[in-house]
Amino acid sequence: VGANVKDFSGHFQKCLTEYFGEKTKITSQDTSGYYIVEKDWFVYSPSRIDVGSINFLRDNGPVIVSPLDVVFSVDLNVIRPEYLLNVLKSNDGMFQILSHRQGIEGTGRKTLPFSEFAKINIPVPPLVVQDEVISILNQFLNLVNELTARQKQYGYYREKLLTFDIYGAIGDVDWRTLGDISSIKSGRNKERLTEGSYPVFGSTGIIARTNTSIYRHQQILIARVGANAGYVQLADGEYDVSDNTLIVDIDPKQNLKYLYYYLQNAKLNRFAKGGGQPLITAGQLKDLSVPVPSLEVQERLVHVLDNFDAICSDLNIGLPAEIEARKKQYEFYRDKLLTFDIASATISGQTDRQTDRQTDRRVD
Protein backbone atom coordinates (compact mmCIF):
# COMPACT_ATOMS: atom_id res chain seq x y z
CA VAL A 1 0.00 0.00 0.00
CA GLY A 2 2.89 2.33 0.79
CA ALA A 3 0.80 4.45 3.19
CA ASN A 4 1.85 5.07 6.75
CA VAL A 5 -0.48 3.20 9.10
CA LYS A 6 -1.03 6.42 11.01
CA ASP A 7 -2.90 7.66 7.92
CA PHE A 8 -5.56 5.08 8.79
CA SER A 9 -6.19 6.53 12.26
CA GLY A 10 -9.93 7.01 12.74
CA HIS A 11 -10.70 4.72 9.80
CA PHE A 12 -11.89 1.14 9.97
CA GLN A 13 -9.88 -1.56 11.64
CA LYS A 14 -11.12 -5.09 11.04
CA CYS A 15 -10.05 -8.05 13.11
CA LEU A 16 -11.01 -10.97 10.93
CA THR A 17 -12.32 -13.47 13.45
CA GLU A 18 -15.65 -15.00 14.38
CA TYR A 19 -15.58 -12.86 17.52
CA PHE A 20 -14.69 -9.53 15.91
CA GLY A 21 -16.30 -9.80 12.53
CA GLU A 22 -17.59 -6.24 12.37
CA LYS A 23 -15.56 -3.24 11.32
CA THR A 24 -14.69 -1.03 14.26
CA LYS A 25 -13.11 2.39 14.63
CA ILE A 26 -9.48 2.49 15.71
CA THR A 27 -9.11 4.05 19.14
CA SER A 28 -5.36 3.69 19.62
CA GLN A 29 -3.37 6.87 19.02
CA ASP A 30 -0.26 4.92 18.02
CA THR A 31 -0.99 2.58 15.11
CA SER A 32 2.60 2.38 13.82
CA GLY A 33 2.87 -1.32 14.68
CA TYR A 34 -0.42 -2.38 13.10
CA TYR A 35 -0.52 -4.80 10.17
CA ILE A 36 -1.96 -3.93 6.77
CA VAL A 37 -4.15 -6.72 5.35
CA GLU A 38 -5.08 -7.22 1.70
CA LYS A 39 -7.95 -9.15 0.10
CA ASP A 40 -7.67 -12.95 0.61
CA TRP A 41 -5.03 -12.59 3.34
CA PHE A 42 -5.51 -14.45 6.60
CA VAL A 43 -5.49 -13.14 10.17
CA TYR A 44 -5.50 -15.22 13.33
CA SER A 45 -5.18 -14.58 17.03
CA PRO A 46 -2.31 -16.71 18.36
CA SER A 47 -3.94 -17.10 21.78
CA ARG A 48 -7.52 -17.72 20.56
CA ILE A 49 -7.14 -19.69 17.35
CA ASP A 50 -8.05 -22.86 19.27
CA VAL A 51 -11.62 -21.53 19.60
CA GLY A 52 -11.96 -20.50 15.96
CA SER A 53 -10.38 -17.05 15.97
CA ILE A 54 -9.13 -17.12 12.37
CA ASN A 55 -10.50 -15.75 9.11
CA PHE A 56 -9.50 -14.13 5.84
CA LEU A 57 -10.43 -10.81 4.24
CA ARG A 58 -13.17 -11.49 1.71
CA ASP A 59 -13.78 -7.93 0.54
CA ASN A 60 -11.33 -5.44 -0.91
CA GLY A 61 -8.64 -4.15 1.39
CA PRO A 62 -6.68 -2.73 2.78
CA VAL A 63 -7.70 -2.87 6.41
CA ILE A 64 -5.43 -2.94 9.43
CA VAL A 65 -5.32 -5.27 12.41
CA SER A 66 -3.70 -5.36 15.80
CA PRO A 67 0.02 -6.15 16.05
CA LEU A 68 -0.98 -8.95 18.41
CA ASP A 69 -2.50 -10.84 15.45
CA VAL A 70 -0.64 -12.98 12.90
CA VAL A 71 -1.12 -12.13 9.21
CA PHE A 72 -0.24 -14.39 6.28
CA SER A 73 -1.24 -15.05 2.68
CA VAL A 74 -1.21 -18.16 0.48
CA ASP A 75 -0.46 -18.95 -3.14
CA LEU A 76 -3.84 -18.47 -4.85
CA ASN A 77 -2.69 -20.64 -7.76
CA VAL A 78 -2.51 -23.58 -5.35
CA ILE A 79 -5.20 -23.15 -2.72
CA ARG A 80 -8.44 -21.21 -2.25
CA PRO A 81 -8.58 -19.18 0.99
CA GLU A 82 -12.16 -20.32 1.70
CA TYR A 83 -11.15 -23.95 1.24
CA LEU A 84 -8.18 -23.52 3.60
CA LEU A 85 -10.40 -21.87 6.22
CA ASN A 86 -12.77 -24.84 6.15
CA VAL A 87 -9.86 -27.26 6.51
CA LEU A 88 -8.49 -25.35 9.51
CA LYS A 89 -11.92 -25.36 11.18
CA SER A 90 -12.57 -29.04 10.54
CA ASN A 91 -12.05 -31.59 13.32
CA ASP A 92 -8.67 -32.56 11.91
CA GLY A 93 -7.62 -28.93 11.47
CA MET A 94 -8.55 -28.01 15.03
CA PHE A 95 -6.78 -31.13 16.32
CA GLN A 96 -3.58 -30.05 14.58
CA ILE A 97 -3.96 -26.49 15.86
CA LEU A 98 -4.26 -27.78 19.43
CA SER A 99 -1.27 -30.09 18.90
CA HIS A 100 1.02 -27.27 17.71
CA ARG A 101 0.24 -24.70 20.41
CA GLN A 102 3.04 -23.77 22.77
CA GLY A 103 2.89 -22.76 26.41
CA ILE A 104 3.70 -19.17 27.39
CA GLU A 105 6.40 -19.21 30.06
CA GLY A 106 5.17 -18.16 33.48
CA THR A 107 1.47 -18.44 32.55
CA GLY A 108 -1.08 -21.18 32.08
CA ARG A 109 -1.91 -19.93 28.60
CA LYS A 110 -0.92 -21.26 25.19
CA THR A 111 -0.19 -19.58 21.88
CA LEU A 112 0.41 -20.59 18.27
CA PRO A 113 3.30 -18.72 16.58
CA PHE A 114 3.40 -18.85 12.79
CA SER A 115 6.52 -21.04 12.86
CA GLU A 116 4.35 -23.78 14.40
CA PHE A 117 1.20 -22.91 12.46
CA ALA A 118 3.07 -23.46 9.18
CA LYS A 119 3.71 -27.08 10.13
CA ILE A 120 0.01 -27.95 9.93
CA ASN A 121 -0.66 -30.54 7.21
CA ILE A 122 -3.18 -29.40 4.62
CA PRO A 123 -4.69 -31.71 1.95
CA VAL A 124 -4.47 -29.78 -1.33
CA PRO A 125 -6.59 -31.30 -4.12
CA PRO A 126 -6.88 -29.58 -7.54
CA LEU A 127 -8.54 -26.17 -7.53
CA VAL A 128 -11.61 -27.57 -9.29
CA VAL A 129 -12.13 -30.00 -6.38
CA GLN A 130 -11.61 -27.22 -3.86
CA ASP A 131 -14.23 -25.12 -5.66
CA GLU A 132 -16.72 -28.01 -5.53
CA VAL A 133 -16.14 -28.47 -1.79
CA ILE A 134 -16.67 -24.74 -1.23
CA SER A 135 -19.87 -24.78 -3.32
CA ILE A 136 -21.39 -27.67 -1.37
CA LEU A 137 -20.54 -26.20 2.04
CA ASN A 138 -21.83 -22.76 1.04
CA GLN A 139 -25.23 -24.28 0.34
CA PHE A 140 -25.47 -25.26 4.01
CA LEU A 141 -24.13 -21.90 5.18
CA ASN A 142 -26.62 -20.03 3.01
CA LEU A 143 -29.44 -21.99 4.59
CA VAL A 144 -28.18 -21.10 8.08
CA ASN A 145 -27.95 -17.42 7.07
CA GLU A 146 -31.47 -17.51 5.61
CA LEU A 147 -32.89 -18.99 8.82
CA THR A 148 -31.03 -16.41 10.93
CA ALA A 149 -32.42 -13.60 8.77
CA ARG A 150 -35.93 -15.04 9.17
CA GLN A 151 -35.45 -15.10 12.95
CA LYS A 152 -34.55 -11.40 12.89
CA GLN A 153 -37.59 -10.73 10.71
CA TYR A 154 -39.90 -12.40 13.23
CA GLY A 155 -38.27 -10.34 15.98
CA TYR A 156 -38.96 -7.18 13.98
CA TYR A 157 -42.66 -7.97 13.57
CA ARG A 158 -42.92 -8.92 17.23
CA GLU A 159 -41.60 -5.49 18.15
CA LYS A 160 -43.97 -3.79 15.72
CA LEU A 161 -46.97 -5.50 17.32
CA LEU A 162 -46.06 -3.85 20.61
CA THR A 163 -45.49 -0.39 19.19
CA PHE A 164 -48.41 1.92 19.95
CA ASP A 165 -48.76 5.61 19.28
CA ILE A 166 -50.50 7.95 21.68
CA TYR A 167 -53.63 7.89 19.56
CA GLY A 168 -54.06 4.13 19.79
CA ALA A 169 -52.51 2.01 17.07
CA ILE A 170 -54.84 -0.95 17.61
CA GLY A 171 -58.40 0.21 18.22
CA ASP A 172 -58.96 2.12 21.45
CA VAL A 173 -55.85 2.13 23.66
CA ASP A 174 -55.93 3.57 27.14
CA TRP A 175 -52.54 4.89 28.28
CA ARG A 176 -52.05 4.31 32.00
CA THR A 177 -49.11 4.23 34.37
CA LEU A 178 -47.77 0.85 35.39
CA GLY A 179 -48.43 1.83 38.99
CA ASP A 180 -52.16 2.15 38.18
CA ILE A 181 -52.47 -1.45 37.06
CA SER A 182 -49.96 -3.20 39.31
CA SER A 183 -48.20 -3.18 42.65
CA ILE A 184 -44.38 -3.02 42.57
CA LYS A 185 -42.00 -4.02 45.34
CA SER A 186 -38.55 -5.52 45.88
CA GLY A 187 -37.94 -9.15 46.73
CA ARG A 188 -36.76 -9.94 50.26
CA ASN A 189 -35.27 -13.40 50.10
CA LYS A 190 -32.91 -14.23 52.99
CA GLU A 191 -32.32 -17.97 52.65
CA ARG A 192 -30.20 -19.21 49.75
CA LEU A 193 -29.36 -22.89 49.62
CA THR A 194 -27.64 -25.17 47.14
CA GLU A 195 -30.52 -27.58 47.50
CA GLY A 196 -34.09 -26.79 48.49
CA SER A 197 -37.72 -27.31 47.58
CA TYR A 198 -38.27 -23.99 45.80
CA PRO A 199 -36.31 -21.72 43.43
CA VAL A 200 -35.00 -18.28 44.36
CA PHE A 201 -35.20 -15.86 41.42
CA GLY A 202 -32.51 -13.23 40.97
CA SER A 203 -32.06 -10.52 38.37
CA THR A 204 -31.75 -12.88 35.38
CA GLY A 205 -33.11 -16.22 36.53
CA ILE A 206 -32.87 -18.82 39.28
CA ILE A 207 -29.84 -18.17 41.50
CA ALA A 208 -30.44 -20.52 44.46
CA ARG A 209 -32.93 -22.75 46.26
CA THR A 210 -34.95 -22.33 49.44
CA ASN A 211 -37.26 -24.39 51.63
CA THR A 212 -39.68 -21.48 52.07
CA SER A 213 -41.94 -20.32 49.25
CA ILE A 214 -43.14 -16.72 49.64
CA TYR A 215 -45.01 -16.40 46.34
CA ARG A 216 -47.44 -18.85 44.78
CA HIS A 217 -48.68 -17.22 41.58
CA GLN A 218 -47.27 -15.92 38.32
CA GLN A 219 -45.61 -12.50 38.48
CA ILE A 220 -43.34 -10.31 36.36
CA LEU A 221 -39.80 -9.81 37.69
CA ILE A 222 -37.51 -6.94 36.67
CA ALA A 223 -33.82 -6.69 37.54
CA ARG A 224 -33.32 -3.47 39.48
CA VAL A 225 -29.53 -3.20 39.94
CA GLY A 226 -26.30 -3.92 38.09
CA ALA A 227 -25.42 -4.52 34.45
CA ASN A 228 -28.70 -6.41 33.88
CA ALA A 229 -30.95 -3.69 35.31
CA GLY A 230 -34.19 -3.69 33.34
CA TYR A 231 -34.11 -7.38 32.39
CA VAL A 232 -37.69 -8.78 32.40
CA GLN A 233 -38.67 -12.37 33.23
CA LEU A 234 -41.66 -14.40 34.40
CA ALA A 235 -41.82 -16.39 37.63
CA ASP A 236 -44.47 -19.05 38.21
CA GLY A 237 -45.29 -21.78 40.72
CA GLU A 238 -43.94 -21.51 44.27
CA TYR A 239 -40.78 -19.44 44.69
CA ASP A 240 -38.96 -16.58 46.42
CA VAL A 241 -37.29 -13.47 44.97
CA SER A 242 -33.96 -11.82 45.84
CA ASP A 243 -33.67 -8.18 46.89
CA ASN A 244 -31.95 -7.12 43.65
CA THR A 245 -35.17 -7.84 41.73
CA LEU A 246 -38.45 -5.92 41.51
CA ILE A 247 -41.76 -7.81 41.60
CA VAL A 248 -44.56 -6.49 39.40
CA ASP A 249 -47.89 -7.96 40.53
CA ILE A 250 -50.41 -7.20 37.77
CA ASP A 251 -54.06 -6.35 38.38
CA PRO A 252 -56.03 -9.55 37.54
CA LYS A 253 -58.29 -7.46 35.29
CA GLN A 254 -55.33 -7.19 32.88
CA ASN A 255 -53.59 -9.89 30.86
CA LEU A 256 -50.29 -10.47 32.67
CA LYS A 257 -48.62 -12.06 29.63
CA TYR A 258 -49.47 -9.04 27.48
CA LEU A 259 -47.80 -6.67 29.95
CA TYR A 260 -44.84 -9.04 30.25
CA TYR A 261 -44.30 -8.86 26.49
CA TYR A 262 -44.75 -5.10 26.47
CA LEU A 263 -42.22 -4.56 29.28
CA GLN A 264 -39.78 -6.92 27.56
CA ASN A 265 -39.99 -4.69 24.51
CA ALA A 266 -39.84 -1.39 26.43
CA LYS A 267 -36.01 -1.29 26.82
CA LEU A 268 -36.25 -0.63 30.54
CA ASN A 269 -32.46 -0.47 30.90
CA ARG A 270 -32.67 3.09 29.53
CA PHE A 271 -34.00 4.11 32.96
CA ALA A 272 -30.97 2.74 34.83
CA LYS A 273 -28.96 5.44 36.58
CA GLY A 274 -25.51 5.31 38.11
CA GLY A 275 -22.03 4.30 37.02
CA GLY A 276 -20.63 1.19 38.69
CA GLN A 277 -24.03 -0.12 39.85
CA PRO A 278 -26.83 1.10 37.54
CA LEU A 279 -30.16 1.19 39.34
CA ILE A 280 -33.85 1.15 38.42
CA THR A 281 -36.32 2.07 41.14
CA ALA A 282 -39.89 0.99 41.79
CA GLY A 283 -40.85 4.65 41.55
CA GLN A 284 -39.55 4.89 37.99
CA LEU A 285 -41.52 1.84 36.94
CA LYS A 286 -44.70 3.05 38.63
CA ASP A 287 -44.54 6.23 36.52
CA LEU A 288 -44.01 4.34 33.26
CA SER A 289 -46.83 4.89 30.77
CA VAL A 290 -48.10 1.67 29.19
CA PRO A 291 -50.74 1.16 26.46
CA VAL A 292 -53.73 -0.82 27.72
CA PRO A 293 -56.02 -2.02 24.91
CA SER A 294 -59.15 -4.01 25.60
CA LEU A 295 -58.74 -7.41 27.25
CA GLU A 296 -59.83 -9.06 23.99
CA VAL A 297 -57.06 -7.29 22.06
CA GLN A 298 -54.53 -8.15 24.78
CA GLU A 299 -55.45 -11.83 24.48
CA ARG A 300 -55.14 -11.76 20.67
CA LEU A 301 -51.73 -10.13 20.90
CA VAL A 302 -50.55 -12.69 23.45
CA HIS A 303 -51.64 -15.53 21.15
CA VAL A 304 -49.57 -14.10 18.27
CA LEU A 305 -46.62 -13.19 20.50
CA ASP A 306 -46.53 -16.64 22.08
CA ASN A 307 -46.12 -18.08 18.59
CA PHE A 308 -43.39 -15.57 17.75
CA ASP A 309 -41.64 -16.37 21.01
CA ALA A 310 -41.66 -20.08 20.23
CA ILE A 311 -40.38 -19.46 16.71
CA CYS A 312 -37.65 -17.01 17.73
CA SER A 313 -36.53 -18.18 21.15
CA ASP A 314 -37.47 -21.75 22.00
CA LEU A 315 -34.31 -23.88 21.91
CA ASN A 316 -36.25 -27.10 21.31
CA ILE A 317 -38.54 -25.98 18.49
CA GLY A 318 -38.70 -23.23 15.92
CA LEU A 319 -35.81 -21.38 14.32
CA PRO A 320 -33.14 -21.82 17.06
CA ALA A 321 -33.50 -25.59 16.81
CA GLU A 322 -33.50 -25.47 13.00
CA ILE A 323 -30.44 -23.19 12.88
CA GLU A 324 -28.55 -25.42 15.31
CA ALA A 325 -29.45 -28.52 13.27
CA ARG A 326 -28.25 -26.92 10.03
CA LYS A 327 -24.98 -25.82 11.67
CA LYS A 328 -24.34 -29.37 12.82
CA GLN A 329 -25.21 -30.64 9.34
CA TYR A 330 -22.72 -28.17 7.83
CA GLU A 331 -19.99 -29.26 10.27
CA PHE A 332 -20.69 -32.95 9.57
CA TYR A 333 -20.38 -32.57 5.78
CA ARG A 334 -17.39 -30.25 6.14
CA ASP A 335 -15.49 -32.93 8.05
CA LYS A 336 -16.60 -35.65 5.60
CA LEU A 337 -15.70 -33.63 2.51
CA LEU A 338 -12.31 -32.69 3.94
CA THR A 339 -11.27 -36.23 4.82
CA PHE A 340 -8.65 -37.26 2.28
CA ASP A 341 -6.69 -40.48 1.95
CA ILE A 342 -4.01 -38.87 -0.16
CA ALA A 343 -0.78 -37.62 1.38
CA SER A 344 -1.15 -34.13 2.82
CA ALA A 345 0.98 -31.15 1.91
CA THR A 346 2.13 -28.55 4.42
CA ILE A 347 1.38 -24.88 3.98
CA SER A 348 4.78 -23.78 5.22
CA GLY A 349 6.45 -23.69 1.81
CA GLN A 350 3.56 -21.73 0.32
CA THR A 351 3.34 -19.20 3.13
CA ASP A 352 6.87 -18.52 4.39
CA ARG A 353 7.64 -16.15 1.55
CA GLN A 354 4.27 -14.47 2.04
CA THR A 355 5.08 -13.97 5.73
CA ASP A 356 8.43 -12.42 4.78
CA ARG A 357 6.58 -10.05 2.47
CA GLN A 358 4.09 -9.17 5.22
CA THR A 359 6.97 -8.43 7.63
CA ASP A 360 8.23 -5.90 5.09
CA ARG A 361 4.77 -4.37 4.97
CA ARG A 362 4.42 -3.73 8.66
CA VAL A 363 4.53 0.05 8.40
CA ASP A 364 6.81 2.06 10.66
Side-chain angles (χ1 to χ4, degrees):
V1 176
N4 190 296
V5 172
K6 288 182 180 178
D7 295 341
F8 287 86
S9 204
H11 289 255
F12 284 123
Q13 171 194 0
K14 192 171 187 179
C15 189
L16 304 174
T17 68
E18 289 183 349
Y19 302 97
F20 308 102
E22 299 297 326
K23 292 181 179 179
T24 56
K25 292 287 186 181
I26 300 168
T27 57
S28 174
Q29 295 299 311
D30 181 12
T31 56
S32 58
Y34 280 57
Y35 286 123
I36 293 175
V37 183
E38 297 283 4
K39 185 177 185 297
D40 292 328
W41 285 28
F42 279 80
V43 180
Y44 76 84
S45 170
S47 60
R48 294 186 60 78
I49 190 172
D50 59 305
V51 289
S53 190
I54 181 170
N55 215 321
F56 69 94
L57 181 59
R58 288 172 168 80
D59 51 12
N60 291 326
V63 297
I64 66 174
V65 296
S66 166
L68 298 177
D69 293 325
V70 173
V71 177
F72 69 92
S73 61
V74 295
D75 188 344
L76 299 179
N77 293 316
V78 176
I79 193 166
R80 303 286 194 227
E82 192 165 353
Y83 168 82
L84 175 57
L85 183 65
N86 277 296
V87 172
L88 292 171
K89 290 194 174 184
S90 68
N91 284 337
D92 180 69
M94 291 309 297
F95 176 79
Q96 292 194 67
I97 284 170
L98 291 171
S99 300
H100 283 88
R101 289 187 307 159
Q102 297 179 337
I104 302 175
E105 187 175 352
T107 72
R109 294 176 296 169
K110 290 189 175 183
T111 188
L112 184 65
F114 186 79
S115 58
E116 289 298 313
F117 179 85
K119 296 176 183 178
I120 294 173
N121 289 316
I122 303 295
V124 186
L127 290 177
V128 65
V129 175
Q130 295 179 40
D131 290 337
E132 185 64 23
V133 169
I134 292 168
S135 176
I136 293 170
L137 293 178
N138 279 344
Q139 291 179 41
F140 291 109
L141 283 179
N142 290 339
L143 181 56
V144 171
N145 292 336
E146 181 183 338
L147 291 169
T148 302
R150 195 183 307 167
Q151 186 179 35
K152 291 180 180 179
Q153 185 180 43
Y154 280 129
Y156 169 81
Y157 285 115
R158 179 177 58 187
E159 183 174 338
K160 281 297 181 184
L161 276 174
L162 291 166
T163 300
F164 300 86
D165 60 40
I166 60 174
Y167 305 106
I170 300 180
D172 294 325
V173 176
D174 183 17
W175 285 84
R176 301 173 63 181
T177 65
L178 188 58
D180 285 341
I181 56 174
S182 71
S183 63
I184 305 174
K185 60 187 177 183
S186 292
R188 295 185 178 181
N189 167 260
K190 302 298 182 185
E191 179 187 57
R192 296 184 189 178
L193 307 173
T194 303
E195 297 181 0
S197 302
Y198 311 104
V200 177
F201 282 89
S203 58
T204 59
I206 296 172
I207 59 171
R209 308 292 297 184
T210 180
N211 287 318
T212 306
S213 65
I214 304 301
Y215 307 102
R216 296 174 176 81
H217 64 285
Q218 191 175 55
Q219 297 181 106
I220 298 171
L221 306 182
I222 300 175
R224 72 175 187 86
V225 65
N228 295 306
Y231 178 82
V232 181
Q233 60 182 314
L234 276 179
D236 203 358
E238 297 186 49
Y239 56 93
D240 200 358
V241 180
S242 71
D243 60 1
N244 64 358
T245 306
L246 293 167
I247 304 167
V248 182
D249 195 6
I250 301 296
D251 184 333
K253 295 179 183 178
Q254 307 299 331
N255 189 304
L256 179 144
K257 200 70 177 292
Y258 160 74
L259 287 162
Y260 161 71
Y261 281 127
Y262 181 80
L263 292 173
Q264 259 197 333
N265 197 57
K267 299 178 176 63
L268 298 179
N269 60 331
R270 62 195 163 103
F271 297 115
K273 306 296 182 184
Q277 283 287 80
L279 179 70
I280 292 177
T281 66
Q284 288 175 298
L285 292 180
K286 288 177 181 178
D287 291 337
L288 178 68
S289 292
V290 296
V292 183
S294 68
L295 193 57
E296 180 185 356
V297 171
Q298 291 182 39
E299 290 170 352
R300 290 202 333 251
L301 286 171
V302 167
H303 176 73
V304 174
L305 292 167
D306 277 344
N307 289 330
F308 276 161
D309 194 54
I311 291 170
C312 295
S313 306
D314 196 306
L315 296 178
N316 298 312
I317 62 173
L319 289 175
E322 183 72 10
I323 290 171
E324 186 62 26
R326 294 295 167 250
K327 284 181 178 178
K328 289 181 178 178
Q329 190 178 37
Y330 160 76
E331 291 167 359
F332 172 81
Y333 282 103
R334 178 190 62 194
D335 291 332
K336 287 294 184 184
L337 285 168
L338 296 172
T339 300
F340 293 88
D341 294 328
I342 60 175
S344 297
T346 68
I347 64 171
S348 56
Q350 300 166 25
T351 54
D352 281 347
R353 64 179 180 273
Q354 303 289 351
T355 305
D356 291 340
R357 188 191 311 168
Q358 173 59 22
T359 302
D360 293 337
R361 298 190 59 177
R362 178 188 277 200
V363 183
D364 297 326

